[in-house]
Amino acid sequence: MPGFLDFIFGFGEQQYEEGFHFTGFRQDNRLNSLDRGLSIQDLGWSGRELRLCYSLKSVEPSESQRYWPWSVRTTAVHHGFDIVTGRAVWIVVKGDGLMKSRIKSATGSRGLPGLTSFQTIDRGFASALATHLILCDWSIEHWHRYVSFLEEEFQAASRRTLSVMVSERARAESVANTSSVTDNALGFGPKTARTRMKPSSFMQSPSQPARVLPPVTPKSAPTSYRPNDKDRNADQQAFSFTDLQRLHFLEEKANETLLILKANSSVLTELKHHYSNTADSEDWPQDLKSNCRGDILRFERRVASVQNDLWMQQSRTETLLRLLANRKSLLFGMLKHHNLEASKELAREAQQSADKMEAITLDMNNIAQKTKQETISMRIITFVTLFFLPGTFISDQTLMSTDIIHFTSDSGKSGRTYEPEALQLYFAISIPLMVLTLLAWYGVYWWETRKEKRRQKRNSVEFQV
């Protein structure tokens, strides 16, 4: 059947899974003599045949994966049965030799009675049904353990979200916010008092391998269980974004499991209906219809039993998915609350730093004002010093050592002698010297100020570049 190739294309080494989840059931019966297929008498093939192909998936333990000890495996099946000669054709494709060994063991000398009898056409048909049942049993074999493993991983990764401690002030704010919403709804107006929440009671921890997170609380913890201080400290380092990624990974695995379980159940339903409808068709030989009726009924019951197991695991998986969604929302809310509290703490610290900087700035402004006042005073002192310096220098040195006004005391009488020429000479020398001194001081001041402005302008250009 050409449709069998669609089931084969999913095999092989792939970087990413492409068509891995594709499965289905296809049939092409040639029971009517007018619609018979290719007849090859040498091979015992009359052309009147049942032809079908399908694929099933199951989960098997795997040691090749380090952090995930399970692997989903596919089996593709092609089967043809000639209703005239009783010849059967089987093509079973699987990545290992498990199905080959099981079928060989079942059809061996000490195998199942239904699989070791090929003397008649009806016994050959019953053997084909028994072979289908081997494949059906494989499709449900490990799902119970795998779903239990997913449940354990889920509880290990998220159980602590139900026992994390919240500070009393955080509870008080939560109650206050709830009361505020209720009062607003009833028309009593908003609350006027608010209680500030403490920082979050859990913190991010360093990234850990995405294996199994160790549980914090016992599996059978009573409702009244309250963690002690040691548990509270452990909770403060319990949650991180890695935990949310872990839950998301488990949710993907659970969705994959649910898809495979539904697909397997659909394939088994099609397989059961195919044989049931074939046995009731007018083209089905009467001897096979009478001799194989019990085999077909037994086959339908066994397939129905496998389907019931699949539906049970499907229900467990759907429940697990709902729990995963709830825990993910809870953990996301906790991480969001933690980020909010961290933002509040950072804002509080930033406000404290801003207050300190404001106080330092005010102190520096006061210092600058005082420095400015002292600078003005120093300029005045410098100017006055420079103003009187030439005159003082001239008057104290040998050039003007003669007094301009000379006081004398002779015979008990005091007198005063005034020398105008000395005064003129004093002013003629001291005033120009004072002017030169002030000009020199101003020139040096102007030169230093101009050089400082050039330096600041050059630094500004370099900063912009």
Side-chain angles (χ1 to χ4, degrees):
M1 292 180 61
F4 182 60
L5 295 177
D6 293 335
F7 305 136
I8 300 298
F9 291 151
F11 289 87
E13 184 177 359
Q14 300 176 354
Q15 183 177 5
Y16 302 102
E17 294 180 354
E18 297 178 2
F20 176 76
H21 297 99
F22 175 76
T23 187
F25 176 90
R26 296 176 183 178
Q27 58 88 19
D28 184 19
N29 291 340
R30 302 283 182 167
L31 302 180
N32 195 309
S33 58
L34 300 178
D35 192 28
R36 69 173 59 201
L38 181 63
S39 177
I40 306 176
Q41 298 298 330
D42 295 339
L43 298 178
W45 208 253
S46 67
R48 297 182 62 189
E49 57 181 331
L50 292 173
R51 290 195 300 178
L52 58 93
C53 62
Y54 58 89
S55 66
L56 292 171
K57 288 182 173 59
S58 186
V59 64
E60 296 177 351
S62 174
E63 297 179 357
S64 61
Q65 301 180 110
R66 183 177 180 184
Y67 294 119
W68 196 254
W70 295 92
S71 179
V72 176
R73 307 288 172 79
T74 304
T75 297
V77 181
H78 177 276
H79 172 59
F81 182 80
D82 194 298
I83 63 175
V84 176
T85 62
R87 300 295 291 265
V89 175
W90 288 93
I91 302 176
V92 180
V93 181
K94 192 177 184 296
D96 54 19
L98 177 64
M99 299 310 303
K100 179 180 178 180
S101 62
R102 289 192 178 184
I103 294 176
K104 288 180 63 175
S105 175
T107 56
S109 59
R110 297 183 180 181
L112 298 176
L115 284 169
T116 56
S117 177
F118 306 97
Q119 291 81 7
T120 59
I121 298 177
D122 58 292
R123 288 306 90 200
F125 180 74
S127 175
L129 295 179
T131 305
H132 284 303
L133 290 178
I134 294 177
L135 298 167
C136 294
D137 291 336
W138 170 82
S139 68
I140 193 60
E141 186 171 353
H142 293 291
W143 285 114
H144 174 74
R145 292 174 55 196
Y146 181 65
V147 175
S148 298
F149 172 77
L150 289 178
E151 292 173 345
E152 292 174 0
E153 290 287 293
F154 158 69
Q155 292 295 341
S158 64
R159 183 183 292 114
R160 286 170 293 177
T161 58
L162 302 178
S163 61
V164 64
M165 293 294 293
V166 181
S167 61
E168 294 297 331
R169 296 181 64 180
R171 291 197 189 99
E173 182 177 1
S174 177
V175 173
N177 291 338
T178 305
S179 301
S180 175
V181 173
T182 305
D183 292 343
N184 289 333
L186 296 177
F188 294 122
K191 293 284 184 180
T192 57
R194 288 291 183 267
T195 304
R196 174 168 290 184
M197 186 180 296
K198 285 185 177 180
S200 173
S201 58
F202 51 91
M203 302 170 59
Q204 291 188 354
S205 61
S207 299
Q208 300 175 355
R211 185 67 179 94
V212 182
L213 296 176
V216 174
T217 58
K219 289 186 178 180
S220 59
T223 306
S224 59
Y225 172 74
R226 291 294 183 271
N228 53 25
D229 294 337
K230 183 178 180 180
D231 295 329
R232 185 180 296 108
N233 294 332
D235 287 337
Q236 290 177 352
Q237 299 179 352
F239 302 107
S240 67
F241 190 74
T242 304
D243 300 317
L244 189 61
Q245 289 179 315
R246 181 65 172 173
L247 288 180
H248 184 74
F249 173 76
L250 292 175
E251 186 177 28
E252 288 184 352
K253 289 296 183 181
N255 278 315
E256 178 187 62
T257 301
L258 183 62
L259 174 62
I260 295 174
L261 291 174
K262 288 183 177 180
N264 283 354
S265 179
S266 176
V267 170
L268 295 183
T269 300
E270 293 289 336
L271 180 64
K272 182 176 67 173
H273 289 169
H274 169 72
Y275 279 102
S276 176
N277 295 334
T278 300
D280 294 336
S281 67
E282 297 178 355
D283 298 324
W284 188 246
Q286 191 65 34
D287 54 343
L288 290 178
K289 184 178 296 187
S290 58
N291 296 333
C292 298
R293 183 174 183 82
D295 297 312
I296 293 177
L297 292 176
R298 186 163 47 254
F299 173 77
E300 292 177 352
R301 287 194 298 268
R302 287 282 305 279
V303 173
S305 176
V306 174
Q307 283 183 301
N308 289 334
D309 289 342
L310 287 173
W311 290 334
M312 175 58 67
Q313 305 310 321
Q314 179 178 333
S315 300
R316 292 178 62 192
T317 306
E318 290 173 347
T319 303
L320 177 61
L321 282 171
R322 287 193 291 269
L323 292 175
L324 275 167
N326 294 336
R327 296 285 176 88
K328 277 182 62 178
S329 299
L330 179 60
L331 182 56
F332 181 77
M334 288 182 172
L335 293 176
K336 186 176 180 181
H337 172 74
H338 164 71
N339 293 334
L340 179 61
E341 291 301 315
S343 299
K344 288 181 179 180
E345 187 65 23
L346 291 176
R348 189 179 300 111
E349 293 178 358
Q351 182 62 38
Q352 293 175 357
S353 299
D355 294 339
K356 292 179 180 179
M357 289 300 298
E358 183 178 3
I360 293 173
T361 303
L362 291 176
D363 293 340
M364 293 180 64
N365 183 49
N366 294 332
I367 294 173
Q369 292 295 331
K370 293 179 180 179
T371 304
K372 183 178 180 181
Q373 294 175 359
E374 293 176 355
T375 302
I376 295 174
S377 300
M378 290 301 298
R379 288 181 179 178
I380 293 174
I381 293 172
T382 301
F383 180 79
V384 172
T385 301
L386 293 176
F387 181 83
F388 288 102
L389 180 62
T392 305
F393 175 78
I394 295 300
S395 65
D396 289 342
Q397 300 304 317
T398 58
L399 185 64
M400 294 298 296
S401 60
T402 303
D403 294 337
I404 298 175
I405 300 176
H406 180 66
F407 293 92
T408 60
S409 176
D410 188 12
S411 302
K413 293 182 181 180
S414 61
R416 182 179 63 182
T417 304
Y418 173 69
E419 298 290 342
E421 295 179 357
L423 180 61
Q424 292 177 1
L425 181 60
Y426 173 76
F427 282 123
I429 296 174
S430 62
I431 290 177
L433 188 59
M434 179 186 66
V435 172
L436 289 176
T437 303
L438 292 176
L439 288 176
W441 170 75
Y442 180 76
V444 173
Y445 175 77
W446 176 82
W447 175 259
E448 292 294 333
T449 303
R450 184 167 176 266
K451 185 168 65 174
E452 180 65 21
K453 289 182 178 179
R454 286 182 178 179
R455 187 182 65 81
Q456 292 180 356
K457 184 177 181 181
R458 184 170 59 254
N459 292 339
S460 177
V461 172
E462 291 178 356
F463 179 76
Q464 291 177 357
V465 173

